[in-house]
Amino acid sequence: MEDRQRAAASSSSPSSLASPAPSSSQLNLPSSSMSRGRLLQESSPAPSFLPSSSSTPRIIYSDRFIPSRTGSNFALFDLCPPPRPSPSTSTSSPHHSPAAAGEGRGGGREDVSGAYSALLRSVLFGPDHGGIVPPATPDRAMAGRVSVLASPPSGSAGDSSSSASSSSPMSPFGRNIFRFKTEVRRVSLFPDGQDGGLSGAIASPPKAPRKVPRSPYKVLDAPALQDDFYLNLVDWSPNNMLAVGLGNCVYLWNAYSSKVTTLCDLGIDDSVCSVAWAQRGTHLAVGTSLGKVQIWDVSPCRRIRIMEGHRLRVGALAWSSSTLSSGSRDKIILQRDIRAQEDFVSKLTGHKSEVCGLKWSYDNRELASGGNDNRLFVWNQHSTQPVLKYCEHTAAVKAIAWSPHLHGLLASGGGTADRCIRFWNTTTNTHLSCVDTGSQVCNLVWSKNVNELVSTHGYSQNQIIVWRYPSMSKLATLIGHTMRVLYLAISPDGQTIVTGAGDETLRFWNVFPSPKFQSNESDIGSTSLGRTQIR
């Protein structure tokens, strides 16, 4: 503004126009600024308020340097317009020699180079320097235009470039040709082009389905493993120790060393009905057919205490910190605090038949129970009556699993007459979805690493299915057991499951991927292939 006011003041007197231009020393400007000023004056027309009769061109100084390319040597950048082919060379004879054919191929390359130079010159310096409207940001459509330019029809290079520009839509001038863009297809999120102000979403390439091994990597013989739907005889500890109840004994299998030890023998008058590891430490709870619950410390193989309270067999156990829940055929659930002297601190009533499924949520706030009365109940930490009741199943509910990924997401499976896996939101008390599996659902467990779950089945397929949630698409169907797959446990790293069946075998399967912070190698002895015996 100050420069313009000074220029306006100088235009009022003729003597100021005739006076010589001030030197660079007077304005304290370097010589380079002087040349920049001249360049700016040459490329910028004089303001309309200056007298047109001035004989000496006035120099305008500015605090910005705006270069001009009018004096640039385009030959240095190979941007000069290509020479027009002569009419004699544009018409080719049908009977040409091999040399002429070679010249034709070379001419084609020159046509492509000339068209590209004209296109680049038009984008960089405007539509007046080449006669071609600049294209949009390079994408797959641009690649198509280049391919059109690469194979021009018979004629001059200018004709081919103009035909290519007329056959493909061009964007208005001002788009940046060098803007980065990923070479992927753009897909609109809205139908009929109504994108709601969004230009589109970049579609990621489809992922190849994860391959799940179809055969177990290890098989253990488990003699006397009971074929009883209502029992829970297999559990895997956080310390990588597998507990299995066989007859009246409990056996431990070390996943690191594959060593088998005998933890306890209940005697000829009693048998093991359920086993469950504590969330921390080395404590194992054992439910018996006489209605007792024993607590064992596996480090010294020593029994800590025996708790009573049930009149019939204890087929379901679940830990929540220091609280142990036990479900029995007497229809009662007992809450036990192993730190207290009493055998149990509260009694939960509501089921009309044997309690065969018990699971605490991951935050230890809700307990889900399933029974042979086809009912699924949810209890809180302080209730003695169920706070939620679900009666949609038409067979016994043993398979229960809480999602580790979403709070309040509960999955349950029904027996032979039901065959369905149902999903519930206990936070909003809603039934989310139902999937008919075609077979008796015996067990459910969620993956800790990905949003997937696995189910084991009995009548009549005896299969193991890996599901992707929430689409419930099957990732794999594993066949190997010859009888009902009644028992299921997952390894502490979340990659491997072990299944037990009435065929008296335990089978180990790698079904889930490793967590991101761990290596792909599992430390549960997956390299030790073969078939051994657990006792």
Side-chain angles (χ1 to χ4, degrees), residues 222-378:
L225 185 62
Q226 297 189 55
D227 184 22
D228 193 328
F229 176 79
Y230 302 99
L231 304 185
N232 295 272
L233 297 177
V234 178
D235 198 21
W236 207 324
S237 78
N239 297 325
N240 221 358
M241 191 82 68
L242 188 69
V244 183
L246 300 178
N248 53 9
C249 297
V250 176
Y251 294 89
L252 304 179
W253 179 78
N254 192 317
Y256 293 110
S257 61
S258 298
K259 181 181 179 182
V260 178
T261 57
T262 303
L263 177 64
C264 64
D265 188 340
L266 302 182
I268 193 173
D269 297 329
D270 205 351
S271 62
V272 180
C273 296
S274 57
V275 293
W277 288 97
Q279 296 172 349
R280 294 183 179 87
T282 57
H283 289 171
L284 177 70
V286 179
T288 73
S289 60
L290 297 180
K292 298 179 181 180
V293 176
Q294 299 184 7
I295 307 297
W296 286 78
D297 188 349
V298 300
S299 295
C301 289
R302 181 174 60 91
R303 186 176 61 192
I304 297 176
R305 62 183 297 184
I306 299 177
M307 295 180 288
E308 299 182 352
H310 290 296
R311 296 178 287 105
L312 299 174
R313 69 178 185 181
V314 180
L317 295 169
W319 285 89
S320 170
S321 186
S322 60
T323 300
L324 174 64
S325 303
S326 60
S328 171
R329 181 177 273 182
D330 62 9
K331 314 170 188 177
I332 302 299
I333 300 173
L334 296 180
Q335 302 282 57
R336 310 173 186 271
D337 191 340
I338 62 174
R339 301 169 299 181
Q341 295 182 353
E342 298 83 2
D343 286 337
F344 59 92
V345 295
S346 63
K347 181 184 297 185
L348 310 183
T349 58
H351 283 286
K352 304 301 180 182
S353 187
E354 179 175 9
V355 179
C356 52
L358 280 178
K359 284 291 169 56
W360 278 96
S361 62
Y362 281 86
D363 57 5
N364 294 325
R365 293 183 178 182
E366 295 178 303
L367 173 67
S369 65
N372 197 26
D373 55 359
N374 309 341
R375 301 291 187 263
L376 174 66
F377 293 158
V378 178

Side-chain angles (χ1 to χ4, degrees), residues 81-160:
R84 293 286 182 176
S86 61
S88 60
T89 60
S90 61
T91 59
S92 58
S93 174
H95 304 285
H96 55 276
S97 61
E103 292 174 1
R105 288 191 296 268
R109 287 193 295 269
E110 292 176 0
D111 292 346
V112 174
S113 176
Y116 176 77
S117 300
L119 188 65
L120 182 60
R121 183 172 60 257
S122 175
V123 171
L124 293 177
F125 307 121
D128 296 335
H129 293 80
I132 299 178
V133 180
T137 303
D139 53 8
R140 293 190 184 276
M142 185 62 192
R145 296 170 198 164
V146 175
S147 64
V148 172
L149 294 177
S151 57
S154 59
S156 62
D159 295 337
S160 63

